DNA sequence: GCGAAGTTAGTTAATATTAACTAACTTCCA
DNA sequence: TGGAAGTTAGTTAATATTAACTAACTTCGC
């Protein structure tokens, strides 16, 4: 869970994330990483055993982030809709700061060919799902969230619509202001979920 | 638009779709296609000029399908919610019949590295979006669909939640009955959109 | 007997990884 | 405290494998 990385390792993971974001998974090669950093290809292997290890490092970073976010939201004293607002807003911040993150976190099938990576991605998705479902359940118990639809379906609506918005932003080459449209959409999610 | 393919071409495109579904875009190689069909690698080139041409063929097939579906829904005399039900149900049929289709149609970033393919994928997404938005607008005008939320946001909710459900099915290695959960979710979408 | 569809045997380029070696440090003890 | 020993992070060169694609030849059905 803790960050036991050397500076160079962190640099490599950051560059890897960026490369995936820019050129897709096929653009992530040891050559591209080393070129970007300015060292030779074999030098990468002084810091990671294999390419898979690098990808795993990237995913673990995203998982840590998801866990941290979940913990913050948990201890955030507010009603359900405010918590959801907070959660999605923080994600908007992350995506705006580091657009390449979207390609990795919302493009699970990239890792279809490696079972280890696929299950790591699954962990992250499950983590996000659980966080949102917990908030919704709480809201339902406290009478802020509608109860005529079960928490799983409501979570699907919240997460799914948010994801699609972000994905459209990515597909359109960031042609609109994600922050702005995102904030608006969060309000709509809250409207739909509210009692 | 029309289907000018030879049997062999159709076979190659089908196998390509399946391979992407099973092993991801990195599993789609000329070697794998030829092995699956039972002919040699160069034989593939008797039917398609290049690998990109094959991918383009796959995407064009999906686009034709989307267009056909849109046209059927358009001429289907029913109220908005029934139309949405019909549209999503047909997609569930398609995904259940050909699970590999999901990986291609809902995994746009796979084609990030080729501009031609990327814009083709964009056409398909836009097509689906337009179809759904048109239905919703109609429903709003005919007072079946809620008007306190704009059609674009409602379409995002319908499409986004549906996509996430299907994606979770894929990520979980088809561990649940998509048809069943899908039908249930369509009802929920209709409940949320209805007036 | 001609042309479409197939074959075998290659090519070229890319990719991940390894081998062998080095320069610049830190550690540690006689 | 000075120098041997070890470590860290890098280098260049090579390797094995895989990819897409090609050339030249064969087969087979109309």
């Amino acid at each position: 869970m803790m960050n036991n990385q050397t500076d160079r390792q962190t640099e490599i993971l950051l560059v890897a994330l960026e490369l995936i974001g820019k050129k897709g998974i096929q653009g992530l090669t040891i050559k591209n990483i080393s070129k970007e950093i300015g060292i030779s290809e074999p030098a990468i292997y002084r810091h990671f055993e294999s390419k898979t290890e690098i990808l795993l490092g990237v995913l673990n970073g995203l998982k840590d982030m998801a866990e941290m976010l979940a913990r913050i939201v948990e201890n955030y004293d507010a009603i359900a809709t405010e918590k959801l607002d907070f959660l999605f807003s923080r994600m908007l911040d992350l995506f705006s700061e580091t657009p390449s993150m979207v390609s990795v976190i919302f493009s699970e099938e990239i890792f279809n060919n490696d079972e280890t990576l696929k299950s790591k991605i699954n962990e992250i998705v499950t983590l996000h799902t659980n966080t949102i479902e917990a908030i919704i359940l709480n809201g339902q118990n406290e009478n802020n969230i509608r109860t005529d639809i079960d928490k799983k379906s409501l979570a699907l609506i919240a997460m799914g619509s948010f994801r699609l918005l972000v994905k459209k932003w990515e597909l359109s080459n960031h042609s609109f202001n994600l922050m702005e449209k995102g904030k608006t959409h969060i309000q709509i999610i809250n409207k739909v979920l509210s009692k």
Side-chain angles (χ1 to χ4, degrees), chain A:
Chain A
M1 211 194 279
M2 218 48 231
N3 216 8
N4 269 29
Q5 287 154 12
T6 63
D7 287 358
R8 195 55 114 190
Q9 281 175 322
T10 307
E11 190 183 11
I12 290 171
L13 294 182
L14 233 56
V15 167
L17 182 68
E18 222 168 277
L19 278 171
I20 297 173
K22 253 186 265 176
K23 316 200 177 193
I25 196 69
Q26 279 146 313
L28 183 72
T29 62
I30 301 294
K31 190 178 205 160
N32 283 349
I33 296 174
S34 61
K35 204 193 298 170
E36 199 73 24
I37 294 183
I39 57 177
S40 67
E41 293 177 55
I44 302 292
Y45 289 90
R46 294 285 166 206
H47 307 278
F48 286 96
E49 281 199 354
S50 67
K51 191 183 164 183
T52 303
E53 219 55 43
I54 294 175
L55 277 164
L56 215 57
V58 170
L59 292 182
N60 273 324
L62 295 179
K63 197 187 165 196
D64 287 351
M65 209 162 257
E67 274 167 355
M68 206 175 63
L69 202 51
R71 232 172 300 121
I72 294 174
V73 169
E74 211 181 317
N75 301 326
Y76 178 47
D77 189 32
I79 61 170
T81 48
E82 285 168 354
K83 280 189 177 181
L84 288 176
D85 190 318
F86 178 80
L87 183 68
F88 285 123
S89 293
R90 283 299 309 145
M91 297 195 82
L92 285 180
D93 292 340
L94 285 174
F95 295 151
S96 295
E97 267 171 49
T98 319
S100 41
M101 203 174 281
V102 178
S103 315
V104 181
I105 213 165
F106 283 177
S107 311
E108 295 86 3
E109 59 293 324
I110 281 181
F111 307 101
N112 244 0
N113 51 325
D114 187 308
E115 242 354 275
T116 319
L117 299 177
K118 195 180 174 187
S119 79
K120 182 62 71 179
I121 269 285
N122 232 322
E123 284 174 31
I124 299 174
V125 175
T126 305
L127 223 150
H128 279 130
T129 305
N130 289 343
T131 307
I132 292 174
E133 285 181 6
I135 297 174
I136 289 176
L137 179 62
N138 238 286
Q140 286 177 323
N141 290 336
E142 285 171 5
N143 238 357
N144 307 308
I145 302 271
R146 63 195 292 176
T147 50
D148 61 331
I149 297 178
D150 65 306
K151 71 169 195 285
K152 276 187 188 299
S153 298
L154 290 179
L156 210 60
I157 286 172
M159 266 185 90
S161 61
F162 183 75
R163 281 174 62 117
L164 184 52
L165 176 68
V166 176
K167 178 139 282 187
K168 283 193 170 186
W169 175 65
E170 201 196 15
L171 269 179
S172 75
N173 292 319
H174 311 152
S175 72
F176 59 86
N177 187 324
L178 177 65
M179 211 51 153
E180 197 185 301
K181 289 222 181 180
K183 291 268 181 199
T184 309
H185 188 67
I186 292 172
Q187 290 321 111
I188 286 182
I189 290 176
N190 274 336
K191 190 177 204 167
V192 168
L193 299 207
S194 285
K195 201 147 204 174

